[in-house]
Amino acid sequence: MTAMLRPDLALIGEWVGPNSRILDLGCGDGTLLAHLARTRGVRGYGLEIDPENVARCVESGINVIETDVDDGLKDFRDGSFDYVVMTQALQAMQRPDRVVSEMLRVGRTAIVTFPNFGQWRVRLALARGRMPVTPSLPEQWYDTPNIHLCTVADFEDLCALRGWKVLRRSLLDHERRDDWAIRLMPNLLAEVAIYMLQAPGNGNGRRE
Amino acid sequence: MNDPHSDPFPADSVGIVEPRKIVIQRPLTLDCGRVLPRHELMVETYGSLNIARSNAVLICHALSGDHHAAGYHSADDRKPGWWETCIGPGKPIDTNRFFVVALNNLGGCRGSTGPSTLNLDTGKPWGPDFPIVTVRDWVRSQAMLADELGIAQWATVIGGSLGGFQVLQWAIDYPARIRHAVAIAAAPKLSAQNIAFNEIARQAILSDPEFHGGHFYEHGVVPSRGLKLARMLGHITYLSDEAMRAKFGRMQKSEQFSFNFDVEFEVESYLRYQGQSFVERFDANTYLVMTKALDYFDPAREFGGDLSTAFRQAQARFLVVAFTSDWRFSPARSREIVKALVDAGRDVSYALVDSQLGHDDFLMPLPEYHRILRGYLSRTLEAGA
């Protein structure tokens, strides 16, 4: 099953500690939670706004809570999860910075993945005077849910500004994982970025 | 059921059903301190219990519901049971797979022991001497019913509105006897506004001169004006403003104003009709008892007011469903339940169904709603689920 999993999700499966408690923001049809439950004995909940996805989660036996993540995580207590995860949805949030802050409040660790808007494909399209349409950004400018795209460099600036500690980082392109070329020129070559973050002053987070 | 010519009912109906009375001979100690040495419950069942006795589903009814949840009582029965849309072969509560049990709660007026049944000690109807029962009492009584039926554990206990209250109480009071809890259009307890509506309904009944302090049976009358008013008021809370606007608007029976207090607007006519038909089938004392059970419900109360502590007792998996247009028990109330369940570390899913009608949407066959119920219930028979 792992072979069919989206690369960023597969990687999260390796990062997350066994039997941990997890909250997945924008969980879609529950693929990640099902994978983590199966392979890591992880328990938790997905938050999802789309009724079709909610129904699919329920049909798969995944705990799902129908809600709008943009409304915040006020129903969740401080530090009540080992991990709060958000995959490929940060760029669709009204205020990505606030969402990450909330993730770091509710979770001892946050994991976010997002498409890197600095990737060469994006730059190439823009250099041609066109909005980019790439494998990780498949929508046209007029129907995309992505309203707050950022580059790896932008995101790391925000982390530094807010004092979020980067515990782990992985940069992927469509086929490859984290090879030497990406590590050398992350902002140019990475298609998808994955970060494990911790709130400032929170030194007892779990690292696996 | 096999000959289509002899069966006038749709193929996805359970068809003709027969209610039966089950006598509970064991004493039941109530929250108020009184003890019922025995009581009777009217019950209907649909489908069959499997050999492992693991496929039983308990249907908990709301304020005015009863044991007749699905099917028809005779070949020329016009109206099916109150949850016909949801219970039947191939329906979300699939009688091909589940053994479905529906009952009239203690204190009801459809055959179960209640204010309008005979008190064996006096030989007269209980009337106002019938004890005020609570949701916990109902759940205790339902557990006794489960014993009688040989059901050690329900696959699912399910209910909407006041029925959802019973579901939550089941999960807390009998954790080992319920695998899945499905609470629809429910709340963790009543708000001041909810209680206020109930109080007006009660006052309407209590102040009807024909109520006779609850002894109206002996006077051969019914406090129909009070009960009718109570029901009319209730009905307003079951519908959304939008639904009433769409259904009635300001439509009048005639074009001119008549400058009197006869029925003029369609909504008046509707409420009067609903009130009148309710009087013909419901008991005023039962209505009082039911509204009190609603008001008293607060499972967190015995856990220091903390609902999540209450849910730490539970072992069941939960499904909570709310409707966008429900203002009686709004989605925010369901979210309180979900929050407490998450805080308690329980398995829970929550679906918010887009709806127009209001609180009564829990009885409607909305596709999105039924897909959630079907999807959830279809997994409840799996091993280890």
Side-chain angles (χ1 to χ4, degrees):
Chain A
M1 292 296 283
T2 309
M4 297 163 63
L5 210 59
R6 223 171 61 199
D8 59 329
L9 302 188
L11 195 69
I12 292 171
E14 294 167 22
W15 283 9
V16 163
N19 305 314
S20 48
R21 208 168 130 80
I22 189 166
L23 185 65
D24 184 2
L25 311 186
C27 67
D29 64 2
T31 303
L32 176 64
L33 285 168
H35 171 68
L36 294 177
R38 201 170 48 239
T39 59
R40 309 290 266 179
V42 162
R43 295 185 59 214
Y45 312 90
L47 305 188
E48 177 56 43
I49 192 172
D50 175 41
E52 171 68 26
N53 277 333
V54 170
R56 285 201 207 167
C57 286
V58 167
E59 284 158 2
S60 317
I62 303 292
N63 289 332
V64 63
I65 295 168
E66 187 165 346
T67 192
D68 185 351
V69 175
D70 269 328
D71 291 344
L73 302 178
K74 58 184 182 306
D75 280 356
F76 300 92
R77 287 184 181 165
D78 293 3
S80 52
F81 290 89
D82 295 314
Y83 303 93
V84 181
V85 177
M86 178 177 248
T87 63
Q88 307 279 42
L90 190 68
Q91 73 282 357
M93 295 290 109
Q94 292 289 338
R95 283 296 297 265
D97 56 336
R98 289 184 189 159
V99 171
V100 174
S101 290
E102 275 288 89
M103 291 170 75
L104 289 170
R105 176 184 67 78
V106 169
R108 298 198 288 150
T109 313
I111 299 174
V112 290
T113 84
F114 59 87
N116 172 27
F117 208 63
Q119 198 217 11
W120 62 271
R121 285 180 210 265
V122 174
R123 298 192 196 191
L124 198 60
L126 286 168
R128 288 183 181 140
R130 292 290 183 170
M131 278 299 280
V133 176
T134 71
S136 59
L137 297 167
E139 291 94 355
Q140 292 289 341
W141 65 272
Y142 47 81
D143 64 0
T144 180
N146 302 327
I147 53 176
H148 286 120
L149 290 154
C150 71
T151 70
V152 164
D154 293 330
F155 186 75
E156 295 197 352
D157 279 356
L158 180 65
C159 292
L161 191 67
R162 298 292 163 90
W164 301 332
K165 281 187 278 184
V166 177
L167 299 182
R168 286 180 95 157
R169 179 183 85 165
S170 195
L171 303 158
L172 311 177
D173 86 357
H174 208 56
E175 290 97 25
R176 292 170 302 179
R177 275 188 167 205
D178 233 352
D179 62 9
W180 62 271
I182 294 188
R183 258 171 273 154
L184 202 63
M185 292 175 288
N187 206 29
L188 186 64
L189 294 183
E191 184 176 355
V192 174
I194 309 171
Y195 285 82
M196 185 189 268
L197 305 173
Q198 202 170 62
N202 185 354
N204 59 352
R206 289 163 67 153
R207 285 198 59 177
E208 258 75 34
Chain B
M1 293 287 285
N2 296 327
D3 180 2
H5 299 289
S6 71
D7 184 359
F9 307 118
D12 63 355
S13 173
V14 293
I16 299 272
V17 293
E18 207 173 326
R20 59 184 166 130
K21 187 175 279 181
I22 292 186
V23 182
I24 312 282
Q25 295 286 5
R26 289 146 60 199
L28 171 62
T29 304
L30 302 168
D31 273 347
C32 66
R34 291 167 66 183
V35 179
L36 287 177
R38 69 190 285 285
H39 68 281
E40 299 175 342
L41 295 173
M42 285 301 282
V43 172
E44 284 182 9
T45 66
Y46 324 112
S48 37
L49 192 59
N50 62 15
I51 293 163
R53 296 175 174 267
S54 63
N55 67 333
V57 174
L58 176 66
I59 310 287
C60 298
H61 70 71
L63 185 70
S64 61
D66 56 29
H67 53 280
H68 186 36
Y72 300 81
H73 282 160
S74 67
D76 43 39
D77 198 352
R78 211 166 35 85
K79 271 182 71 178
W82 59 268
W83 216 5
E84 176 75 4
T85 56
C86 200
I87 304 167
K91 287 180 181 169
I93 302 172
D94 188 347
T95 51
N96 290 330
R97 303 184 69 200
F98 298 111
F99 176 62
V100 180
V101 177
L103 78 156
N104 183 211
N105 278 339
L106 182 65
C109 56
R110 311 293 289 173
S112 293
T113 300
S116 54
T117 59
L118 278 190
N119 178 350
L120 298 182
D121 291 343
T122 64
K124 288 197 280 187
W126 282 90
D129 299 330
F130 193 80
I132 302 242
V133 291
T134 65
V135 170
R136 286 180 64 192
D137 293 331
W138 283 337
V139 169
R140 284 189 197 111
S141 150
Q142 289 161 1
M144 290 175 160
L145 172 65
D147 295 340
E148 293 294 322
L149 297 172
I151 296 162
Q153 184 190 58
W154 301 101
T156 300
V157 179
I158 182 170
S161 192
L162 177 55
F165 293 10
Q166 294 156 60
V167 172
L168 302 179
Q169 197 73 57
W170 255 102
I172 294 164
D173 287 356
Y174 295 96
R177 299 194 70 172
I178 161 175
R179 289 205 304 278
H180 294 270
V182 180
I184 305 161
K189 60 187 170 196
L190 258 57
S191 67
Q193 188 192 50
N194 295 145
I195 295 171
F197 277 113
N198 282 346
E199 171 58 6
I200 297 172
R202 280 191 294 268
Q203 286 302 325
I205 293 168
L206 294 169
S207 60
D208 187 320
E210 298 196 305
F211 182 62
H212 295 290
H215 293 286
F216 53 88
Y217 315 103
E218 290 120 272
H219 293 78
V221 292
V222 170
S224 53
R225 279 165 292 182
L227 185 57
K228 184 175 164 181
L229 271 180
R231 182 61 167 177
M232 288 167 78
L233 182 71
H235 248 280
I236 300 173
T237 70
Y238 304 151
L239 297 175
S240 67
D241 182 28
E242 192 184 319
M244 284 187 123
R245 201 184 304 242
K247 200 166 177 175
F248 312 110
R250 291 181 51 85
M251 264 190 307
Q252 287 177 244
K253 294 202 145 315
S254 69
E255 293 209 349
Q256 303 296 317
F257 288 155
S258 55
F259 295 100
N260 60 35
F261 300 115
D262 292 340
V263 168
E264 278 192 275
F265 291 94
E266 288 292 346
V267 66
E268 298 172 310
S269 163
Y270 169 82
L271 287 177
R272 288 190 193 193
Y273 172 78
Q274 290 294 337
Q276 190 53 47
S277 61
F278 190 65
V279 166
E280 288 155 20
R281 70 181 177 91
F282 213 80
D283 175 76
N285 281 316
T286 286
Y287 202 88
L288 294 174
V289 167
M290 294 281 164
T291 60
K292 262 334 235 197
L294 275 162
D295 290 2
Y296 284 156
F297 176 71
D298 181 6
R301 193 178 149 93
E302 56 190 308
F303 296 92
D306 183 2
L307 190 60
S308 70
T309 306
F311 282 141
R312 285 206 178 90
Q313 316 288 311
Q315 295 169 16
R317 299 184 64 133
F318 290 77
L319 172 67
V320 177
V321 181
F323 298 90
T324 54
S325 61
D326 184 355
W327 62 274
R328 184 185 172 90
F329 298 140
S330 72
R333 308 306 313 279
S334 283
R335 284 298 297 265
E336 292 175 39
I337 299 169
V338 173
K339 177 179 168 31
L341 286 166
V342 169
D343 287 344
R346 298 279 80 87
D347 283 312
V348 56
S349 281
Y350 167 67
L352 175 60
V353 177
D354 198 25
S355 79
Q356 272 88 48
L357 193 60
H359 187 59
D360 266 356
D361 266 318
F362 85 87
L363 296 166
M364 297 293 142
L366 305 173
E368 185 186 337
Y369 167 42
H370 274 197
R371 182 177 171 192
I372 293 285
L373 285 186
R374 185 188 300 277
Y376 188 86
L377 292 170
S378 69
R379 298 185 64 91
T380 57
L381 291 183
E382 287 177 16

